[in-house]
Amino acid sequence: MTLSLFLEQLLNGVQLGVMLFLMASGLTLVFGIMNFINLAHGSLYMAGAFAAAVAQQATGSFVLAIVAGVVAAALLGIVLERAILQRFYTRSHLDQVLATFAIILILNETTRMIFGPSPLRMSLPHALSGSVPILPGVPYPTYRLVVLLAGLVVAGLLYLVIMRTRMGMWVRAGASDRTTASSMGVNVPVVFSGLFGMGAALAGLAGILAAPILSVQVGMGEPVLILALVVTVLGGVGSIRGAFFAALLVGVVDTFGRVLLTPALGSMAIFVTMAIILAFRPRGMFATHG
Amino acid sequence: MTDVLEVRNLYKRYGGLVATNGVNLSVRPGEMHAIIGPNGAGKTTLISQLQGMVRPDAGEIFIDGVNVTATPAHQRAGLGVARSFQIASLIPDFSVLDHAAFAVQAQLGHSFRFWRRADREEILLAPAREAVEAAGLGARMHSPARDLSHGERRQLELAIALAQRPKILLLDEPMAGMGKQDGQRMTQRLADLKGRYSMLLIEHDMAAVFSLADRLSVLVSGAIIKTGTADEIRNDPQVRAAYLGHG
Amino acid sequence: MADGASRPIRAALWPALVLIALLALAPALSIWLDDPFTVKIATRIVIFAIGAVALDLTLGYAGLVSLCQAAFFGVGGYVVGILAWHQANSEAVLAGWMGSSELALTLPLAFLVAGLFAAAVGAVSLRTGGPYFIMITLAFNQMLYYGAVALQKYGGDDGLQIINPLTLFGYDISNRYKFFYLALTMLLATVLLIDRLARSRFGVVLRAAAVNETRAIAVGVAPWPYRLVAFAITGALAGLAGALLAASQQFISPADMAWDRSGDFVVMTALGGVATVWGPIIGAAAFIFTELSLSSYMQHWQLPFGLIILAIVLLLRGGLAQLVDLARGAKKGGEAVHD
Ligand SMILES: Nc1ncnc2c1ncn2[C@@H]1O[C@H](COP(=O)(O)OP(=O)(O)OP(=O)(O)O)[C@@H](O)[C@H]1O
Ligand SMILES: [Mg+2]
């Protein structure tokens, strides 16, 4: 492998990692804090991508498409949480799995009913469709670079929100002890809805950013969901910092796996890596509690 | 003769809080050793370290002279450590007898027995019934745990511990939350068991403790401030100041 | 602690035996209706019921939600498919052995190989608690799925066709009715096995630790090895079911081991009612039947299907078995008793 190819794939890997982090941050917070397993998180990713593609077709604007996608995913997330999912916070994990599995079926099929079986496309604005040299003579797609940077910025912001703000403090208080949190005057249900909405918005954003690279189609969320679950487990449930590094690891391993091996074998690489890590660190690389 | 239980210099810290602060303690064969102390003194934490659920930060624990400090909880049970929980820890669908039979089964080596119905194995049931009777719960033999009253759940905790045929019984407030009558019955039951088992008893009920225990230790803020006979404890000025005065 | 749903041995064995007896009438019904499709559906129900009853040992009795059942199911299917392929192509599998299309040999092999896969997956994923277990088993399912896709030689993405006729003790088994009774016998064996396991000392440990691990450890039982064995048995039986599916449709493909197929198994097992041997049979029958009937009436059948599942989870916490409990006026199960 030449240096330039290596560099290109490394950037691709980091870019995938950043997107996985956007997915996994919502998963890990919702799981770490509400002890809730949300298999339907991939549906929010899909919702963001579809909403953005539709908005772009209607307005022609890429920026509006992003806004529409994020808002749609966040709204869908909040509605799901309020209407259905919050009833399951205190139920068994089995019930959570069943309910969110059913929601996947419902949302996938509804999307298929509305948009039909063929994928939608999202196009890039002119300014982002070219490439820039990352080394002399080595061009790299501008858009992928922008995605990478945007993802890093969002990751940084999220970290600040969780670690430095009042809302973040509430979230962390809710994580360790619900009753104490409510006696401190925190409106736990509202914080949870807000948190869920934020996770949904991030998942939607990941879907939107992926949309111009991949195609927008029903079922696009589940493979990403599974990778995001791997990230969540490896990062240590509930840990944003852990999710970030695990996401980069998963992104890079997955990308190189597919380049160096056949696509199918390459897709196995990340799971083999997971198995090896878990064999030594059963609670992930950055376990926060227990 | 070696002590059944010996604890040397045990420490456990939770963040800034020292829950166990240099505890030294022993239980002689057949002895009933009681621990008294105010709420939050670290009594349950101490028991949990002896049983193995909680790891101490420093110090050593010996059962029959064997150092078990690093031994996992389930193996300690195999060495004869039985513990009752202050907050009853049961299996709602299991009957009283099921609980005791499960404890017997656990003592009989591994449970990789796949074929015979466990609820028909007399080798499990006979000792289990005996333990249930000894805990005074014979009338409720087949009731599921979820139907038991609070007092009965405390009795079931005792029955499970007895069914383990322990070398040492660690009893965490076996009368907590019981009415007066139930409490007296439990006291009588413990008096009956006295001498047959080595026991470490945690209890708030002073009258009961002073009448039952061979020796007492007073635990305050994670540290034992005094160990002695009932009379020695009653008359100790430090104990009176720290505990009995406002007990 | 694992999931806190209650795990009584809610029902006796006989409802399962009644269900199997009813299923045994399917070929007669098929002949009477002159509809060969009936016995095909019944075969499918029986095969998935084996996988669902097996999953109940892990999911219902041991309280561990596994999302890897379809993968082991597929492993079993590929064992039968690959061995038949080698025989058909006269190519050695290993050490000069030319494979086989004899089910008396390949079914036990499928059982064994799937069990070994499950033991390996379980060894890694059982080291942590319930929720991690769910995510890790899902990841392993995806891994094995890609593993099947990677089998280029055996059809890769397109799946593996079994072209040579399969035999049982030398007799041709391609007859639908014969095959149905073979599968039904396997279901009966599975039901008897799981029922015995659940009532044995082994099952007592699984059930106790599912609800209250602290208690199990306190009396001296570390649940890990028991869970591992349960998981391996569950996987092995899934492999047997998958082998039967491959044999019945003369075909196996990665699609049979996709992650959502594992979700389907959980739905079948749980909606019928966990910790009963008959619940998963009803669950499998209801699932296959609903799937087939909805999909023949409408294109977008997964929508009502999802709504039905959601409604059942919201309204009937104990699955369809809850209906029986309700009818009897029995009490609902609870969490571990901590007063
Ligand atoms: N897991 C834990 N994490 C943090 N602090 C703990 C933990 N367990 C116990 N503590 C603290 O350690 C101290 C001792 O608790 P412990 O339960 O051992 O007291 P106790 O003497 O049994 O009290 P009580 O009479 O109420 O049963 C308490 O201040 C308690 O809050
Ligand atoms: Mg206590």
Side-chain angles (χ1 to χ4, degrees), chain A residues 31 91 93-94 109 113 279 282, chain C residues 3 127-128 131 300 302 313:
Chain A
F31 181 57
R91 299 271 290 266
H93 289 122
L94 173 59
E109 200 65 272
M113 273 167 78
Chain C
D3 285 339
R127 295 183 60 196
T128 48
H300 298 289
Q302 288 203 348
V313 187

Side-chain angles (χ1 to χ4, degrees), chain B residues 14-15 17-19 37-46 54 86 172-173 202 204 219:
Chain B
Y14 285 119
L17 181 103
V18 185
N39 284 327
K43 305 182 295 291
T44 299
T45 306
L46 177 61
V54 170
Q86 182 177 0
D172 196 350
E173 304 201 20
I202 290 178
H204 268 310
L219 191 73

Side-chain angles (χ1 to χ4, degrees), chain A residues 31 35 37 39 84 87-88 90-110 112-113 117 222-223 225-226 229-230 232-233 236-237 258 262-265 267-268 271-272 274-276 278-284 287 289, chain C residues 1-5 59 65 67 124 127-132 134-136 138-140 142-144 146-152 259-264 266-268 270-271 274 287 299-307 309-310 312-317 335:
Chain A
F31 181 57
N35 194 18
I37 294 196
L39 296 182
I84 302 169
R87 293 163 208 269
F88 286 91
T90 53
R91 299 271 290 266
S92 69
H93 289 122
L94 173 59
D95 286 352
Q96 296 173 0
V97 165
L98 289 168
T100 54
F101 184 70
I103 289 173
I104 294 177
L105 296 182
I106 294 167
L107 291 180
N108 274 349
E109 200 65 272
T110 309
R112 198 175 290 130
M113 273 167 78
E222 278 68 65
L225 167 83
I226 294 174
L229 287 175
V230 173
T232 304
V233 169
V237 168
R258 283 165 202 260
T262 68
L265 281 178
S267 303
M268 290 178 77
F271 300 109
V272 176
M274 174 195 81
I276 293 169
L278 288 179
F280 294 99
R281 308 276 324 245
R283 290 194 166 262
H289 30 159
Chain C
M1 192 188 293
D3 285 339
L59 181 86
V65 184
L67 281 172
V124 174
R127 295 183 60 196
T128 48
Y132 283 85
I134 301 173
M135 302 190 218
I136 297 169
L138 177 55
F140 275 118
Q142 192 80 341
M143 169 171 135
L144 293 172
Y146 283 124
V149 174
L151 296 174
Q152 283 307 330
W259 81 273
D260 46 335
R261 285 270 121 191
S262 282
D264 292 346
V266 171
V267 170
M268 287 177 216
L271 290 194
V274 293
F287 187 99
Q299 190 190 352
H300 298 289
W301 61 275
Q302 288 203 348
L303 180 58
F305 201 54
L307 289 170
I309 297 171
L310 192 58
I312 294 179
V313 187
L314 273 172
L315 303 176
L316 291 178
R317 291 186 176 209
E335 310 281 306

Side-chain angles (χ1 to χ4, degrees), chain B residues 22 47 127 171 181 238:
Chain B
I47 291 252
L171 300 177
Q181 234 185 4
Q238 210 191 343

Side-chain angles (χ1 to χ4, degrees), chain A residues 91-158:
Chain A
R91 299 271 290 266
S92 69
H93 289 122
L94 173 59
D95 286 352
Q96 296 173 0
V97 165
L98 289 168
T100 54
F101 184 70
I103 289 173
I104 294 177
L105 296 182
I106 294 167
L107 291 180
N108 274 349
E109 200 65 272
T110 309
T111 312
R112 198 175 290 130
M113 273 167 78
I114 300 174
F115 297 99
S118 48
L120 304 187
R121 295 232 144 259
M122 225 178 130
S123 50
L124 287 174
H126 192 67
L128 296 180
S129 55
S131 56
V132 289
I134 40 171
L135 280 180
V138 182
Y140 189 76
T142 315
Y143 179 69
R144 282 179 179 265
L145 216 53
V146 169
V147 168
L148 200 165
L149 293 176
L152 287 178
V153 169
V154 173
L157 285 177
L158 184 67

